[in-house]
Amino acid sequence: MASRKYQTPDGAVSSNETCQKQRARAVRKRWILTGSTSAVLGQLTTPMLFAILALFGADLIELYFASRLGVDELTAMSFTLPIQATVFAFAIGLGIVVATRLTQARKVEELAAVSLIFTAIVGVLLAVIIWFNLLPILNLLGFDETVPQQLKVWPTLKTYMQYRLSAVVLFFIIMVVFGLLRAFGNMRAAAWLLVTFSAAQVLMSALLFSPVAHSVQLSGLEKLGIAHFFAASIGCIYALFLLVVKENISIKVNLLSQKSRAALRCLIRLSVPVVAMQLLTPIAQSLLMGVVATQGNDAVAAYGVVMRLEPIALLLPMVLTTSLPIFVGQNWEAKKALRVRRGVKLAVVVCVVWQLVIATLLFLGADMLSVGFCKQSDVKGAINFAVSVLPISYVALAAVMLYVSCCNAIGRSGVALNFSIVRLFVLSVPSAYIGAAVAGFHGIVWGLTLSNFILGVCLVLYSAKKNETLSVQKKVVLS
């Protein structure tokens, strides 16, 4: 009897854990509103820096292994990059929607399982649609299976994509849980999730390409596909472990209940605009790939390397687009406009300096980098030229990326959408097309470089006009 007297009911334990998490989130929110601007941005950004580096670094290493197989394999994989970008865009969009919906919900547990099932359904549908239309999609991107070089790699490329598409659901769950952990403030666990997934992919690829696995009767592209599927499986298991064990979120659900059906309808309604926004970039990349394909296989191979290098070169701006909106959004909501201005100014200055350093390093190391990916003279020369010229324009592109993310954070999604459309479809794609007509692959690189600088100038002019309008309005109010 005495032992029963001091037993704590299960409901009370659950309630105490919930209260502790709510208090922790409240403390974190106060810190974002009152802490040193540089310290807050630094702590929000640093864990994600390593996570995003690991994610895109694994993709770059995968392309490096493909380049070791030959120019034909490198070209074939390059044709699939817009498809992979589409899958990634869906994953990011679903992560944003689920994280937003869960952080707003009163009972997180009731919605978590529904969100994961919704994610799995979307993943299955996307994978099936891409698989049954794989060859037509590749044909639209410029792949021609009747050409001898591409006909030779088509069977292994098809098997590679079969493994990649089989892992779509697993990858979606990883990215959705990643978004949830960030929304709950657990940046360290979110970072470890991406690092675990990326490390598993690199290690499995290295193992399959090592002398130990020479007896395995698989082509190089098939080995890369298996490595990705294996890594996605490991990452998915770890993601569910973090969600269920570390965050104490149950994933049991009754899909026939009214609440579950309402949650599914809400997720569908929220997903359409968010995913559509995320798909702008892969659509533009697909159009660019079509333009590049007109210049031949060597240009496609070189452009594939540039596509994989770009996220690494833009690493800090990309990470800041995930951390800066948290700072800007919460301080804007708290009416701390001066603090928002200070944070954005600091982020822009750091990004400009970062991009200048990266552009200098890539210019100096362009020859070594191009030889590392391909020793064939035409491909090597194209990579060398692109890596020497294009990164300097990332200074302007970084500023635009930060501006768009801040607009989304303060509810000005219309401005962000307009800038994204102008960047991708008014400037980048037409500039590349005109450049290709004038000077081939070199013209495409110069066109993309010029479009980034033009967009940067447009941003400066728009910001100056906006500040002037605000100053006039302030004077009118004071008078």
Side-chain angles (χ1 to χ4, degrees):
M1 295 293 291
S3 62
R4 287 184 184 177
K5 181 179 178 181
Y6 295 102
Q7 283 181 348
T8 305
D10 292 340
V13 173
S14 174
S15 178
N16 288 336
E17 287 178 352
T18 303
C19 290
Q20 287 175 1
K21 287 181 180 179
Q22 288 175 346
R23 282 196 294 270
R25 289 168 193 164
V27 168
R28 179 175 171 273
K29 185 171 182 178
R30 271 199 309 275
W31 168 70
I32 290 174
L33 296 176
T34 60
S36 165
T37 302
S38 57
V40 171
L41 285 176
Q43 289 192 38
L44 288 174
T45 304
T46 303
M48 291 299 101
L49 195 67
F50 295 104
I52 303 299
L53 176 61
L55 184 65
F56 290 115
D59 286 339
L60 184 64
I61 291 171
E62 181 189 52
L63 196 70
Y64 172 78
F65 279 119
S67 72
R68 298 296 87 192
L69 301 172
V71 176
D72 294 337
E73 286 78 2
L74 177 60
T75 302
M77 180 175 278
S78 297
F79 274 116
T80 70
L81 296 186
I83 299 175
Q84 295 180 34
T86 301
V87 171
F88 187 75
F90 265 90
I92 294 294
L94 289 173
I96 292 170
V97 169
V98 173
T100 302
R101 188 71 188 92
L102 278 178
T103 50
Q104 292 173 350
R106 291 183 179 180
K107 294 185 178 180
V108 173
E109 288 77 9
E110 293 181 4
L111 192 58
V114 178
S115 301
L116 290 177
I117 291 170
F118 172 71
T119 299
I121 291 172
V122 174
V124 169
L125 288 175
L126 180 64
V128 169
I129 290 170
I130 292 176
W131 174 249
F132 283 107
N133 296 279
L134 181 60
L135 188 56
I137 292 171
L138 289 172
N139 289 154
L140 287 173
L141 295 173
F143 183 85
D144 186 359
E145 74 280 9
T146 62
V147 175
Q149 296 93 332
Q150 295 176 7
L151 177 63
K152 183 179 70 174
V153 298
W154 168 237
T156 56
L157 180 65
K158 187 177 180 180
T159 307
Y160 165 76
M161 286 303 296
Q162 186 175 6
Y163 284 113
R164 293 283 306 202
L165 294 173
S166 299
V168 165
V169 173
L170 304 174
F171 180 67
F172 275 18
I173 291 174
I174 292 170
M175 296 307 295
V176 165
V177 174
F178 170 72
L180 288 175
L181 293 172
R182 285 183 56 248
F184 292 151
N186 197 345
M187 298 289 188
R188 190 177 297 275
W192 270 111
L193 174 58
L194 290 193
V195 169
T196 300
F197 164 66
S198 304
Q201 183 173 346
V202 172
L203 290 174
M204 190 63 182
S205 298
L207 178 63
L208 290 174
F209 277 85
S210 67
V212 177
H214 273 178
S215 59
V216 180
Q217 298 299 313
L218 293 169
S219 69
L221 290 179
E222 289 171 336
K223 290 178 180 178
L224 292 174
I226 290 172
H228 179 80
F229 182 82
F230 172 81
S233 303
I234 296 295
C236 183
I237 293 169
Y238 185 50
L240 294 176
F241 168 78
L242 290 173
L243 193 66
V244 176
V245 178
K246 294 298 183 181
E247 291 293 328
N248 295 318
I249 294 177
S250 173
I251 54 174
K252 295 178 181 178
V253 66
N254 177 14
L255 284 176
L256 299 178
S257 69
Q258 186 176 353
K259 287 184 178 179
S260 296
R261 293 200 303 270
L264 276 172
R265 285 195 298 269
C266 181
L267 288 170
I268 293 170
R269 189 178 67 253
L270 291 173
S271 295
V272 173
V274 174
V275 172
M277 176 79 173
Q278 294 296 322
L279 283 174
L280 290 176
T281 299
I283 290 171
Q285 287 180 348
S286 300
L287 294 174
L288 285 171
M289 180 60 77
V291 173
V292 173
T294 61
Q295 306 304 310
N297 288 347
D298 293 342
V300 172
Y303 185 65
V305 174
V306 173
M307 282 183 69
R308 284 301 195 215
L309 280 172
E310 186 174 276
I312 305 295
L314 286 165
L315 178 64
L316 184 59
M318 291 189 72
V319 175
L320 277 170
T321 58
T322 67
S323 58
L324 187 61
I326 299 172
F327 175 87
V328 169
Q330 294 192 23
N331 280 278
W332 185 265
E333 193 70 25
K335 310 297 183 186
K336 297 193 173 187
L338 184 62
R339 186 171 169 82
V340 170
R341 186 186 294 270
R342 193 184 304 129
V344 173
K345 184 178 179 180
L346 175 63
V348 170
V349 170
V350 170
C351 275
V352 168
V353 174
W354 172 277
Q355 291 309 139
L356 288 173
V357 172
I358 293 296
T360 303
L361 291 175
L362 287 175
F363 180 80
L364 295 175
D367 188 56
M368 182 176 65
L369 198 62
S370 60
V371 171
F373 274 98
C374 189
K375 292 183 172 62
Q376 205 253 35
S377 59
D378 291 338
V379 179
K380 182 183 73 173
I383 296 172
N384 192 338
F385 178 76
V387 172
S388 300
V389 174
L390 196 54
I392 190 64
S393 69
Y394 293 162
V395 175
L397 183 57
V400 174
M401 289 168 63
L402 293 180
Y403 185 82
V404 167
S405 67
C406 290
C407 285
N408 283 321
I410 62 177
R412 295 178 180 172
S413 55
V415 176
L417 179 61
N418 289 337
F419 261 97
S420 297
I421 291 174
V422 169
R423 177 173 79 85
L424 296 170
F425 301 105
V426 177
L427 291 174
S428 294
V429 174
S431 297
Y433 181 79
I434 294 170
V438 173
F441 183 76
H442 285 202
I444 293 173
V445 173
W446 281 118
L448 293 174
T449 303
L450 185 61
S451 67
N452 287 336
F453 278 123
I454 291 173
L455 189 66
V457 171
C458 291
L459 176 61
V460 171
L461 294 176
Y462 178 81
S463 300
K465 185 178 179 181
K466 200 75 176 173
N467 290 335
E468 184 181 343
T469 304
L470 289 174
S471 299
V472 171
Q473 290 175 349
K474 193 180 294 184
K475 287 177 183 178
V476 170
V477 170
L478 291 174
S479 59

